[in-house]
Amino acid sequence: HPFPSVFLRDIRNTVGNIPMEWYQDFPHVGYDLDGRRIFKPLRSKDELDLFLEKMENPEYWSAIPGKPRDRSVPWDGGSAVKSHRGFGDGICGELPAVDFFSHEVRIHPVTNRPADKRSFIPSLVEKEKVSKLVHAIKMGWIQPRKPKENVPTFYDLWAQEDPNSILGRHKMHVPAPKIPLPGHAESYNPPPEFLLSPEELSWEQQEPSERRLNFLPRRFPSLRAVPAYPRFIHERFERCLDLYLCPRQRKMRVNVDPEDLIPKLPKPRDLQPFPTTQALIYRGHSSLVRTLSVSPSGQWLVSGSDDGTLRFWEVISARCLRTVPVGSAVKSVAWNPNPNVCLVAAAIPPWIPLDPFNPACLWDQLPQLLLGIPPFPIPSPFPPQRAPIPFPIPFPIPFPFQPVTQVTWHAKGDYWASVLRNPGGRQVLIHQSSRRWSQDPFRKSPGMIQCVRFHPIRPYFLVASQRSVRIYNLLRQELTKKLQSNCQWISSMAVHPGGDNVICGSYDSKLAWFDLDLSTRPYRLLRHHRRALRAVSFHRRYPLFASASDDGTVIVCHGMVYNDLLQNALLVPLKVLKGHVPTLDLGVLDVAFHPQQPWLFSSGADGTVRLYT
Amino acid sequence: MNIDFSQFVSEDHKYVEFDFLINGQFLRLPLVTHMEMENISTEEVVEIEYVEKYMAPQPEECIFHDDWISSVQATEEWILTGCYDQTARIWSVEGKSITTVAGHTEVVKDVAWVKQDSLSCLLLSASMDQTVLLWEWNVEKNKVKALHCCRGHAGSVESVAVDCTRTKFCSGSWDKMLKIWSAVPTDEEDEMEEAANRPRKKQKTEQLGLTRTPLATLSGHTEAISSVLWSDAEEICSASWDHTIKLWDAETGDLKSTLTGNKVFNSVSYSPLCRRLASGSTDRHIRLWDPRSKDGSLVLLSLTSHTGWVTSVKWSPTHEHQLISGSLDNIVKLWDTRSCKAPLYDLAAHEDKVLCVDWTEAGLLLSGGADNKLYCYRYPATASDVGA
């Protein structure tokens, strides 16, 4: 063979990385460079030969059967296992390997160290670790793992509808706002009008929220010259925030029709009967008519005026039946509500007479009333008539020189009260006409008294001062309630025939309705009038109340009071009654309802009394 | 032969105006509009009735009084008026004042004739002094004497009415009572219910006649009675401020039926020809009712043209469809019930409220008011369909 033995040892694998079983049946394995077959050695050792060699050849274990050629390559003592160990053979500076592990039993063991105790006892390190864990568990720093309870899991069928749940959010998805498409200012070479003007060059100093554009439009000669956009990351970040971090919520805008806020009041057409038109005008007075009162039967009307007369009218025909000159202006008249007695109380300075006016001249009744009166001269000549004239009975009151501003009767017709204009001193007096005596019920007067009224049913006495109304219990002689009206100056007061509601009119054009069961503040403040309110009144039978004002109108309202304590009163304005002519800055001065019919009388500064039906 | 036909041409050949009626309603609008409004179909035969047009009432007299005239009642020869100056006056139809009946102490609210002879007449006056006085008027001597003073009411007496037999009369007053009295003058004084020593009263009664107490008192109204009338021989109709018209049986004193309305009734009038009641209320409508309907409140017809309260109504005594009404808007209207939207004629002569109206059989219309004047009109009595 011309090849040196070096080459024999370096014969490469000429078949590749294939399993050698494929050449089992062939006499050759691979080909050489010339293309000739490389024959396997002729005689291969069979099992018997291998066994004999193993038993008899002392260098059997030292020979490595060479794989490529099935030829045992004798081991020369070290070069084949060179690469496997960290030790070298001492040639290139590596330490020689010391065989202290070998198959031969040597005399000395590798180490003769005796076994540690820790090999036989439980581990101390682990014990320490365990005790630390136990302490931590005892201290509660570590929660022992609880066994998972098998909680039945429910599937929320309606999670999609709940806008707060994760599933429901999909329904309520509010898409992010669209990024606006780029315009001309975003171009790399925008027209000069899209660049910022010199005033806007303070873009840098402005707040980011104030800027008109998010970026600074710049101009470049070509696309190549365009630098990197400095705000790119900013913009993407903000967009990401918009997309997923910005909470969006549907704002439910309440579309409120302003007409729905107006309370639905019943139509005036449904609340009839109430006075709507002017029917009669009672002419006769020459000056403003300050006060009027209707008889309890409804046949007569008495009015007192500044021209110093009291006039008695027949309601149905507007006929003035009697005129009683009294000398000075009449401030207040009130007809006795007792239908069996015909008495009118009129407040005339300096004394208050009681006029019995009985057109049928039942003189039989008069002697009872005339008992105990000292004779007095009739002040002025009466027109000659064959009929008996109204006979004034003077009622001497303790303070004859203070002007009396108001008289009012008790519902039974025996007691009556008068208000004197005496600021600081005694202002209210209560009189009894059958026993002919008067008394002053109050020790000190609470401010300037405007108006007093008797309660129609209960023994209460209502006193209205300028700002508040005090209710006194006459039997117990104590103050029961104080109603605070939100008005500056109360002018008049009226009590509902049911006894639970009070209305006050004030000079600042407000009408306060008090519900005595509800609170001491007004239940409703009605501002229907333009100018000061002069008088208010309730109807005895129908659910109506009226207010007279200086603008010459009378406003009739429906005031329905319910028997059950749950429902509040229903107040509906019905009609503005016009007719009076405002004179001398005064309009309608007094208002009164007819006792039975839904009719309204009003007296005004133009000297007329008008009937509305 | 020359026959002069000119004598056959009568002077009273005159143009006659006609008025047309469709379905009992006067035709006031163009025919097409009327038929549309009344929903009369043009497919059917429409009957148009024609009548001679009613002439306007001719004003005759104007009688001046001293005070407001509260009531008026007239016969063929005499006119009796009640006045607010506490007197009743008698006038002739020509307008001449005959005599004054004074005696009341208060305003006279209603007057009525009881009986008329050629020698003497009986008349009634009701007043606010709660009495009704029965007077005898001697026509020849022209003297008036109070025969009876009917006391019993506790409020002013608003209305009196005499029945067809002229023996009884009824009165309604503010004390809500309806009282029936005898209208026959007697010589005895009725016993008073209250026994009292009334020397003063005896003096008065001698002046005013013997005292009389009512035959019966009918109560049922809850408010004042404004107007009463006899609708039949034994039936009284009363209208009141409690919005009702009540029909009473005069013999037994029972309430027969009630007609309910909405407003205070000022006056009622009954027509035996058409058997309807006309009422004037404190609204501006005149309503026609059927008194025979059982306790209903069915208004048959509502005549609207006034602009104020209707104070008085009166049916025509001869014509079944005509009535006259006076109101606070100073106008007296003559209506035909067949045209309910507009009256036949408006008589606007008063300057103040009209308080009373009357219609005599002779065709005389009277109206008195608050302007102290009494106006008389002549209205020819036309033949109604009832007679034809």
Side-chain angles (χ1 to χ4, degrees), chain A residues 400-450:
Chain A
F401 297 110
Q402 263 102 25
V404 179
T405 50
Q406 195 215 348
V407 287
T408 179
W409 285 93
H410 185 258
K412 296 256 176 64
D414 195 17
Y415 287 91
W416 54 284
S418 60
V419 177
L420 307 171
R421 175 83 50 191
N422 185 15
R426 295 193 175 140
Q427 294 185 47
V428 183
L429 297 171
I430 297 184
H431 319 264
Q432 193 178 7
S433 56
S434 60
R435 284 203 282 168
R436 211 61 56 101
W437 67 297
S438 326
Q439 56 173 338
D440 172 19
F442 300 114
R443 232 177 297 132
K444 57 167 184 169
S445 67
M448 191 157 85
I449 307 275
Q450 297 289 122

XYZ file of all heavy atoms in Angstrom, chain A residues 400-450:
420
model
N -111.061 106.867 73.690
C -111.882 107.403 72.614
C -111.131 108.255 71.632
O -111.661 108.574 70.594
C -112.936 108.226 73.351
C -112.291 108.607 74.623
C -111.361 107.522 74.973
N -109.917 108.615 71.907
C -109.283 109.558 71.013
C -108.282 108.918 70.075
O -107.660 109.586 69.292
C -108.614 110.688 71.806
C -109.620 111.464 72.564
C -109.670 111.371 73.947
C -110.561 112.225 71.915
C -110.629 112.074 74.651
C -111.521 112.929 72.614
C -111.558 112.855 73.989
N -108.129 107.621 70.193
C -107.280 106.970 69.203
C -108.125 106.495 68.049
O -109.222 105.984 68.250
C -106.557 105.759 69.794
C -105.157 106.087 70.227
C -105.112 106.259 71.713
O -105.951 105.711 72.385
N -104.158 107.012 72.187
N -107.633 106.673 66.847
C -108.450 106.225 65.716
C -108.500 104.698 65.656
O -107.522 104.021 65.905
C -107.703 106.785 64.500
C -106.314 107.005 64.954
C -106.384 107.307 66.408
N -109.691 104.236 65.348
C -109.888 102.790 65.237
C -109.702 102.402 63.781
O -110.289 103.002 62.899
C -111.315 102.416 65.690
C -111.527 100.936 65.564
C -111.538 102.868 67.108
N -108.861 101.417 63.540
C -108.590 101.051 62.152
C -109.368 99.840 61.683
O -109.552 99.659 60.494
C -107.101 100.736 61.952
O -106.713 99.813 62.971
C -106.279 101.984 62.025
N -109.786 98.989 62.601
C -110.473 97.795 62.132
C -111.434 97.289 63.174
O -111.153 97.375 64.374
C -109.441 96.707 61.814
C -110.004 95.578 60.989
C -109.397 94.243 61.355
O -108.403 94.202 62.064
N -109.984 93.172 60.887
N -112.568 96.786 62.721
C -113.478 96.066 63.618
C -113.779 94.723 62.973
O -113.847 94.605 61.753
C -114.810 96.816 63.861
C -114.596 97.989 64.749
C -115.452 97.218 62.570
N -113.926 93.734 63.798
C -114.251 92.416 63.266
C -115.075 91.662 64.297
O -114.885 91.825 65.501
C -112.965 91.635 62.914
O -113.335 90.358 62.427
C -112.081 91.448 64.109
N -115.996 90.856 63.819
C -116.901 90.142 64.702
C -116.422 88.715 64.912
O -115.796 88.101 64.051
C -118.301 90.059 64.074
C -119.077 91.323 64.113
C -119.130 92.262 63.143
C -119.915 91.787 65.163
N -119.950 93.273 63.524
C -120.456 93.010 64.763
C -120.275 91.284 66.410
C -121.329 93.750 65.545
C -121.147 92.016 67.191
C -121.663 93.237 66.759
N -116.811 88.183 66.033
C -116.681 86.754 66.280
C -117.789 86.042 65.518
O -118.803 86.646 65.181
C -116.818 86.510 67.795
C -116.576 85.090 68.188
N -117.606 84.221 68.480
C -115.429 84.373 68.329
C -117.107 83.045 68.793
N -115.805 83.105 68.703
N -117.585 84.741 65.250
C -118.542 84.026 64.403
C -119.919 83.929 65.041
O -120.927 83.902 64.335
C -118.020 82.625 64.108
N -119.987 83.902 66.361
C -121.292 83.766 67.003
C -122.039 85.085 67.026
O -123.238 85.130 67.222
C -121.122 83.282 68.450
C -120.520 81.913 68.538
C -121.602 80.903 68.874
C -121.022 79.508 68.878
N -120.012 79.365 69.956
N -121.340 86.174 66.883
C -122.017 87.454 66.796
C -122.088 88.226 68.094
O -122.696 89.284 68.139
N -121.495 87.719 69.133
C -121.570 88.433 70.403
C -120.309 89.241 70.672
O -120.357 90.407 71.031
C -121.809 87.420 71.527
C -122.261 88.090 72.792
O -122.698 89.258 72.702
O -122.161 87.464 73.860
N -119.185 88.612 70.499
C -117.930 89.310 70.739
C -117.455 89.983 69.473
O -117.702 89.511 68.363
C -116.855 88.315 71.184
C -117.051 87.807 72.584
C -117.781 86.659 72.822
C -116.497 88.483 73.669
C -117.962 86.185 74.097
C -116.668 88.014 74.953
C -117.402 86.866 75.170
O -117.575 86.397 76.430
N -116.780 91.072 69.648
C -116.122 91.678 68.498
C -114.865 92.365 68.970
O -114.716 92.684 70.149
C -117.054 92.642 67.756
C -117.679 93.720 68.565
C -118.713 93.605 69.424
C -117.305 95.100 68.565
N -119.025 94.823 69.968
C -118.178 95.760 69.455
C -116.326 95.847 67.904
C -118.090 97.121 69.702
C -116.255 97.204 68.146
C -117.135 97.834 69.054
N -113.940 92.536 68.046
C -112.634 93.079 68.398
C -112.386 94.327 67.571
O -112.877 94.473 66.456
C -111.526 92.058 68.094
N -111.621 95.229 68.141
C -111.266 96.447 67.413
C -109.780 96.694 67.560
O -109.154 96.315 68.558
C -112.048 97.637 67.959
O -111.748 97.813 69.323
N -109.221 97.319 66.554
C -107.790 97.614 66.540
C -107.630 99.126 66.561
O -108.230 99.829 65.758
C -107.126 97.050 65.257
C -105.659 97.418 65.203
C -107.293 95.556 65.210
N -106.857 99.616 67.509
C -106.614 101.051 67.618
C -105.231 101.373 67.074
O -104.316 100.567 67.175
C -106.653 101.488 69.088
C -107.882 101.103 69.884
C -107.645 101.405 71.341
C -109.079 101.872 69.385
N -105.116 102.541 66.514
C -103.800 102.978 66.040
C -103.121 103.659 67.210
O -103.239 104.842 67.398
C -103.963 103.942 64.866
C -102.680 104.546 64.387
C -101.976 103.636 63.455
N -102.889 103.177 62.427
C -102.578 102.200 61.591
N -101.421 101.617 61.683
N -103.429 101.827 60.676
N -102.423 102.864 67.997
C -101.819 103.398 69.208
C -100.486 102.715 69.415
O -100.342 101.852 70.272
C -102.774 103.091 70.385
C -102.295 103.721 71.662
O -101.434 104.600 71.646
N -102.844 103.273 72.772
N -99.517 103.023 68.577
C -98.274 102.246 68.645
C -97.602 102.419 69.992
O -97.483 103.525 70.511
C -97.415 102.831 67.516
C -98.037 104.131 67.175
C -99.473 104.051 67.541
N -97.239 101.310 70.564
C -96.592 101.344 71.868
C -97.562 101.080 72.992
O -97.204 100.531 74.015
N -98.792 101.463 72.801
C -99.752 101.262 73.892
C -100.732 100.167 73.551
O -100.439 99.255 72.787
N -101.903 100.275 74.106
C -102.901 99.244 73.877
C -103.452 99.376 72.478
O -103.916 100.433 72.099
C -104.041 99.394 74.879
C -103.537 99.140 76.257
C -104.647 98.967 77.212
N -104.051 98.603 78.484
C -104.472 99.060 79.648
N -105.468 99.898 79.658
N -103.889 98.675 80.748
N -103.430 98.276 71.751
C -103.888 98.359 70.375
C -105.105 97.515 70.104
O -105.858 97.801 69.195
C -102.766 97.928 69.421
C -101.611 98.887 69.449
C -100.588 98.532 68.429
O -100.914 98.271 67.288
N -99.337 98.505 68.836
N -105.265 96.448 70.841
C -106.354 95.513 70.540
C -107.318 95.508 71.703
O -106.911 95.415 72.853
C -105.811 94.086 70.323
C -106.939 93.150 69.949
C -104.770 94.076 69.235
N -108.597 95.597 71.383
C -109.619 95.500 72.419
C -110.643 94.471 71.983
O -110.968 94.371 70.809
C -110.336 96.843 72.605
C -109.489 98.003 73.089
C -110.284 99.284 73.020
C -109.042 97.768 74.521
N -111.138 93.730 72.948
C -112.208 92.763 72.673
C -113.431 93.225 73.442
O -113.360 93.511 74.637
C -111.787 91.343 73.090
C -110.583 90.901 72.246
C -112.929 90.373 72.889
C -110.157 89.500 72.498
N -114.548 93.293 72.725
C -115.782 93.785 73.335
C -116.844 92.710 73.282
O -116.816 91.833 72.439
C -116.322 95.008 72.586
C -115.266 95.973 72.160
N -114.951 97.086 72.904
C -114.459 95.995 71.078
C -113.996 97.750 72.284
N -113.675 97.114 71.179
N -117.809 92.851 74.171
C -118.946 91.950 74.137
C -120.186 92.813 74.048
O -120.420 93.654 74.932
C -118.985 91.086 75.390
C -119.941 89.935 75.271
C -119.936 89.048 76.499
O -119.305 89.384 77.492
N -120.635 87.958 76.435
N -120.975 92.611 73.000
C -122.069 93.541 72.781
C -123.264 93.249 73.669
O -124.040 94.139 73.959
C -122.495 93.508 71.316
O -122.832 92.203 70.949
N -123.434 91.995 74.102
C -124.610 91.727 74.932
C -124.419 92.266 76.329
O -125.343 92.778 76.938
C -124.889 90.229 74.972
O -123.777 89.570 75.518
N -123.200 92.176 76.827
C -122.990 92.656 78.193
C -122.390 94.045 78.208
O -122.171 94.619 79.262
C -122.061 91.703 78.954
C -122.801 90.437 79.356
C -122.135 89.779 80.506
N -120.955 89.043 80.090
C -120.059 88.556 80.934
N -120.214 88.751 82.230
N -119.019 87.907 80.514
N -122.055 94.504 77.047
C -121.669 95.897 76.914
C -120.393 96.217 77.687
O -120.325 97.155 78.433
C -122.838 96.764 77.427
C -122.998 98.120 76.766
C -123.255 98.021 75.297
N -124.409 97.213 74.956
C -125.575 97.714 74.642
N -125.757 99.004 74.641
N -126.573 96.915 74.307
N -119.378 95.372 77.492
C -118.134 95.706 78.167
C -116.960 95.359 77.254
O -117.090 94.576 76.331
C -118.000 95.004 79.515
C -117.852 93.520 79.441
C -118.749 92.635 78.954
C -116.745 92.751 79.902
N -118.296 91.366 79.067
C -117.062 91.391 79.656
C -115.529 93.044 80.505
C -116.192 90.361 79.994
C -114.677 92.008 80.830
C -115.016 90.676 80.567
N -115.830 95.968 77.533
C -114.637 95.783 76.709
C -113.467 95.395 77.587
O -113.460 95.676 78.785
C -114.263 97.077 75.993
O -115.364 97.802 75.658
N -112.513 94.772 76.976
C -111.307 94.416 77.730
C -110.124 94.471 76.796
O -110.239 94.352 75.573
C -111.441 93.027 78.333
C -111.739 91.975 77.290
C -111.710 90.593 77.874
O -111.099 90.358 78.896
N -112.374 89.680 77.227
N -108.982 94.646 77.429
C -107.738 94.659 76.685
C -107.000 93.364 76.999
O -106.545 93.167 78.120
C -106.911 95.877 77.106
C -105.526 95.851 76.507
O -105.321 95.129 75.518
O -104.659 96.565 77.025
N -106.923 92.462 76.045
C -106.389 91.144 76.391
C -104.882 91.075 76.507
O -104.363 90.107 77.037
C -106.883 90.258 75.237
C -107.058 91.199 74.104
C -107.394 92.527 74.672
N -104.161 92.081 76.017
C -102.714 91.919 75.952
C -102.040 92.852 76.935
O -102.418 94.007 77.081
C -102.207 92.217 74.539
C -102.798 91.308 73.511
C -103.640 91.790 72.543
C -102.522 89.951 73.547
C -104.187 90.949 71.609
C -103.075 89.109 72.610
C -103.923 89.601 71.636
N -101.011 92.326 77.536
C -100.236 93.152 78.456
C -99.307 94.057 77.700
O -99.163 95.218 77.994
C -99.447 92.239 79.409
C -99.652 92.598 80.862
C -98.940 91.646 81.788
N -99.444 90.296 81.691
C -98.659 89.216 81.575
N -97.362 89.354 81.538
N -99.178 88.017 81.494
N -98.625 93.510 76.731
C -97.761 94.370 75.926
C -98.060 94.108 74.467
O -98.439 93.012 74.074
C -96.284 94.108 76.250
C -95.885 92.675 76.041
C -94.389 92.524 76.072
C -94.046 91.072 75.745
N -92.661 90.868 75.508
N -97.891 95.110 73.686
C -98.295 94.962 72.282
C -97.091 94.573 71.450
O -96.013 95.138 71.583
C -98.862 96.275 71.778
O -97.832 97.223 71.739
N -97.242 93.582 70.612
C -96.121 93.135 69.770
C -96.028 93.969 68.503
O -96.506 93.581 67.462
C -96.514 91.685 69.446
C -98.002 91.675 69.511
C -98.442 92.763 70.433
N -95.440 95.122 68.561
C -95.270 95.905 67.346
C -96.574 96.551 66.904
O -97.531 96.659 67.660
N -96.608 96.946 65.660
C -97.789 97.621 65.153
C -98.760 96.575 64.633
O -98.447 95.815 63.737
C -97.381 98.553 64.009
C -98.495 99.483 63.612
S -97.884 100.940 62.793
C -97.759 100.389 61.131
N -99.936 96.596 65.216
C -100.920 95.570 64.836
C -101.618 96.022 63.568
O -102.113 97.139 63.481
C -101.973 95.392 65.951
C -101.276 95.121 67.275
C -102.933 94.293 65.615
C -100.928 93.709 67.508
N -101.648 95.150 62.582
C -102.307 95.494 61.325
C -103.746 95.015 61.293
O -104.611 95.693 60.785
C -101.552 94.837 60.161
C -100.142 95.325 59.991
C -100.144 96.734 59.463
O -99.603 97.641 60.083
N -100.771 96.944 58.348
